[in-house]
Amino acid sequence: MESNGDTESDAQPKLTFADLNIPSVSTQPKDTPIGKIQRCQDLKAREILFMSLMLGSVLLATGFTIYRMAVISRQSADFSFGILLLINAGFCIWFTIDGVLRERPSEIVMLCLATIIILFYIIFNFALGDKNSIKLARLIVASISCPGITVVGLYCARKYYLSNHLIFRTVGAFQDMQNLYKNLLYFQDLLKFDLQVGCSIIVLVLDGNDVEVHEIVILSLGGAFKIVWFILGYIVMSREIKIGAWVFLALSPVEIAYIIFKMYDVSTYIDTAKGLAAATIVCITAALIVRLLAIVTAVFVYRGFGKGLKQKLFMSPVEDGVGIVNQPTEQNSPSKF
């Protein structure tokens, strides 16, 4: 009887990593100082299409913007608007490469939102300002490319969200640990988006009417404060430093007070600079929403302190046992899943 049982057991097909939808060694991510990333040769057609559409449209719009800035006065509102577009173009390139190579669905979604915000900037600049062929060409390119980029980007984000490939390779197969890591990723992506809209606000405010010396000082200090706040949040939340997290959360509402003040201040030049005022309203509204979401997400991340995520993120694969799942060891056998 025992031998028959052994024969039946041996006859059953063995569970493989392919059955669990886990990529083979040939598609293993690459370890880098910023975490695991996809290898370029493993990028799928949809990812290459998304990166091509996004980077191509950003570079084309940047070319139009640089040409426009070269032929106008530096005192023109369009010159400051060009700086705004160049800053956002830089962030879009960063989000595109980082979002695809690191399979960050939330970052791809925020990139799509950033693209839509830039489209609104361009529409307001054309409709409410001086019209010319360069601004019209830039508007046409943005209007055609934005819907396609958004659709392909959201499709890629959905695939990343469902697969959890790099998340599995980083923290393992336990759902609770994956949820903790996802909260941290959402928070970090919100920090990046907050930095983007914060830089945009500085450009728009400096281009406003009757900017006084004290406000320039406030913006200068505020820009430095934002960078410190960004770095602080990025470090202390991932390394679970409680005191640093308290400081970060305590400083988070500071910009909200300034945003509310600028909402009132826009009314002072909404009639004399409609294009600038419209772009500022879009930007400060996005900044307020992103900052509130960042605070809420930070609280969720803080509540996950001490549950093992820190050890997963900063422990070597050999110590942790994650990342060597393709080796036939007992620790990484399919039965553990």
Side-chain angles (χ1 to χ4, degrees), residues 152-225:
V152 179
L154 292 178
Y155 179 74
C156 290
R158 180 178 179 273
K159 289 293 185 179
Y160 293 156
Y161 180 80
L162 295 176
S163 69
N164 288 334
H165 173 210
L166 287 184
I167 292 178
F168 170 81
R169 294 298 180 190
T170 303
V171 299
F174 291 105
Q175 188 63 48
D176 291 343
M177 192 62 63
Q178 289 189 6
N179 290 336
L180 291 174
Y181 188 47
K182 285 179 182 179
N183 288 338
L184 177 63
L185 296 181
Y186 296 151
F187 168 73
Q188 291 177 343
D189 292 339
L190 285 168
L191 279 185
K192 297 174 188 176
F193 201 21
D194 183 275
L195 182 63
Q196 178 186 7
V197 293
C199 293
S200 299
I201 288 177
I202 292 175
V203 174
L204 291 170
V205 170
L206 289 177
D207 192 48
N209 292 346
D210 300 326
V211 179
E212 298 181 1
V213 175
H214 75 275
E215 188 158 13
I216 295 177
V217 174
I218 292 175
L219 288 173
S220 300
L221 295 176
F225 173 83

Side-chain angles (χ1 to χ4, degrees), residues 56-58 60-61 64 119 136-147:
S57 62
V58 168
L60 189 58
F64 285 135
L119 177 61
L136 177 61
R138 186 172 60 193
L139 176 61
I140 293 173
V141 170
S143 300
I144 293 175
S145 61
C146 183

Side-chain angles (χ1 to χ4, degrees), residues 57-58 60-65 68 81 85 115-149:
S57 62
V58 168
L60 189 58
T62 299
F64 285 135
T65 301
R68 174 65 180 164
F81 183 77
L85 288 182
T115 305
I116 295 173
I117 291 175
I118 292 174
L119 177 61
F120 277 115
Y121 285 162
I122 294 175
I123 291 174
F124 290 144
N125 182 252
F126 181 82
L128 303 177
D130 298 332
K131 298 176 176 60
N132 56 69
S133 58
I134 297 297
K135 293 170 70 174
L136 177 61
R138 186 172 60 193
L139 176 61
I140 293 173
V141 170
S143 300
I144 293 175
S145 61
C146 183
I149 289 171

Side-chain angles (χ1 to χ4, degrees), residues 274-287:
K274 294 182 179 179
L276 174 65
T280 304
I281 291 172
V282 171
C283 190
I284 60 180
T285 301

